[in-house]
Amino acid sequence: MAGAAGSCCSSGVVFRAKKCRAIKAMASAPKREKDPKKRIVITGMGLVSVFGSDIDTFYNKLLEGQSGISTIDRFDASNFSVRFAGQIRGFSSEGYIDGKNDRRLDDCWRYCLVAGKRALENANLGPEILETMDRTRIGVLVGTGMGGLSAFTTGVDALIQKGYKKISPFFIPYSITNMGSALLAIDTGLMGPNYSISTACATANYCFYAAANHIRRGEADVMVVGGTEAAVMPTGVGGFIACRALSQRNDSPQKASRPWDKNRDGFVMGEGSGVLVMESLESAMNRGATIIAEYLGGAITCDAHHMTDPRSDGLGVSSCITKSLQDAGVSPEEVNYVNAHATSTLAGDLAEVNAIKKVFKDTSEMKMNGTKSMIGHGLGAAGGLEAIATIKAINTGWLHPTINQDDLEPDVTIDTVPNVMKKHEVNIAISNSFGFGGHNSVVVFAPFRP
């Protein structure tokens, strides 16, 4: 996979782990998976984001520290106490969804279909190639936290204003959370494992973890996996305002998402879709696929504490990180990059940092950044978009900044890549996602080494 365009990251150089780190790792690393049927590689990526649908453009904007947060103009938000979000503009599904379906679909499914098909294209699994493959061995697992929220809202409005006879026949199908995976499979003929997971903002990572296990168990060779969300609409924004979860920095939206900063006041809503093609190493090698990165493992846990607040002791998160490293066959000393959940909430940001410090005793060489500082919180899509950012960091050797780092919390002693991108050779990376309900998820990625 070529590096992102631009002078800072166009190099094709493959970086090697520092010798001292490699020696330390060899001394303590658990046994890693060797079976090519069970080793899982990433062969394709696709997204829809506030920065468009091109992977390199997306990552370059992140590297530049650009904010995608702006005033909402999709609906009249003038009477809302929060009037800004990471709203997608200028989205086009041309070439991916036919006009009739495009007009009917909820944006949640439009984003899913475009990101999913772009991921398949990126993996050299276009329609002609798929025709030659056993599509019963290729599955789809794209989750969402909210589902077709616009379709649901429209249906309820029709019921209240005009009666049940005016409800669209598409009301139920386009509202339910499994429809993204279903529609993508219908369009591509993929007949393998197919369903959705909905664990709020941890959704996409849960999907990666589950999809990997389908491959490891021999139930699929390829999985098209990620998350999708389109909740920047009155019901979504109003609902999160009611939860008192959102930043209210209406006078400076681009400064609102500020993970770990003392002046943070809540998260900023985002939207989009991020999808990976996960594949057994054996399958990828047999078809001569370009391998972008390797998925080493993951884990899921529950705080069992509160609907929206994290555990103050961070036990749910720290145990999830530990279990993910065990699943990956990785020692804590090998990890030198964390793409953090980092939503810019008062309790959540510090709970995550404390959990990270509990697992990683020496963080002197570690870097940790917050993608949401620029694109907002994509809810069920967040883990998908952040997995792509993590893999681009691995590929390019450059970490995007966490912007709006003006007055850091004193407990945050890990390098957050404040405000300006940094060159950093990623040895092993973890990507964290946590959701309402106490759902914790961590996935582990690394450069592919044969």
Side-chain angles (χ1 to χ4, degrees), residues 109-125:
W109 313 136
R110 295 170 77 220
Y111 297 164
C112 169
L113 287 171
V114 171
K117 290 180 181 180
R118 289 182 72 94
L120 285 165
E121 283 178 359
N122 188 236
N124 195 27
L125 290 172

Side-chain angles (χ1 to χ4, degrees), residues 154-208:
T154 300
V156 171
D157 285 346
L159 172 66
I160 292 169
Q161 294 172 17
K162 300 176 183 178
Y164 79 93
K165 291 184 178 179
K166 295 299 182 181
I167 295 174
S168 164
F170 296 104
F171 167 47
I172 296 296
Y174 285 170
S175 297
I176 53 181
T177 60
N178 61 300
M179 200 48 62
S181 294
L183 292 170
L184 186 52
I186 290 165
D187 276 8
T188 55
L190 304 182
M191 297 174 66
N194 187 295
Y195 57 102
S196 67
I197 292 173
S198 185
T199 47
C201 308
T203 291
N205 274 7
Y206 269 68
C207 292
F208 296 140

